Amino acid sequence: MPDDLTKTGKADRDKVNVNQSHELRDWSKKLGVTEDQLKKAVKEVGVYADDVKKHLKK
């Protein structure tokens, strides 16, 4: 089922979805990395935002 962009909540804020262009753009900007760096981080540690943030700080 596709995401309903009108319904956001904690579950959406806790995960990084690099398959949606607006989320990829927004998370990249928020974390101060390129879209490619973000995709690589998600591939390495998974979609949970806390894990991605920790990984990118290394």
Side-chain angles (χ1 to χ4, degrees):
M1 175 185 324
D3 276 346
D4 182 346
L5 301 179
T6 63
K7 295 180 181 178
T8 60
K10 185 166 175 31
D12 274 352
R13 289 189 300 268
D14 289 344
K15 295 182 181 176
V16 179
N17 184 345
V18 295
N19 297 312
Q20 291 187 343
S21 60
H22 67 281
E23 284 201 32
L24 180 60
R25 179 191 65 235
D26 293 347
W27 276 108
S28 295
K29 185 176 179 179
K30 180 177 181 175
L31 298 173
V33 296
T34 67
E35 291 181 0
D36 287 336
Q37 288 171 315
L38 182 59
K39 286 179 183 178
K40 184 178 178 190
V42 168
K43 187 175 183 178
E44 291 177 9
V45 300
V47 299
Y48 288 99
D50 286 341
D51 295 338
V52 173
K53 289 175 191 176
K54 287 176 190 172
H55 179 75
L56 290 171
K57 286 182 181 180
K58 290 182 180 178

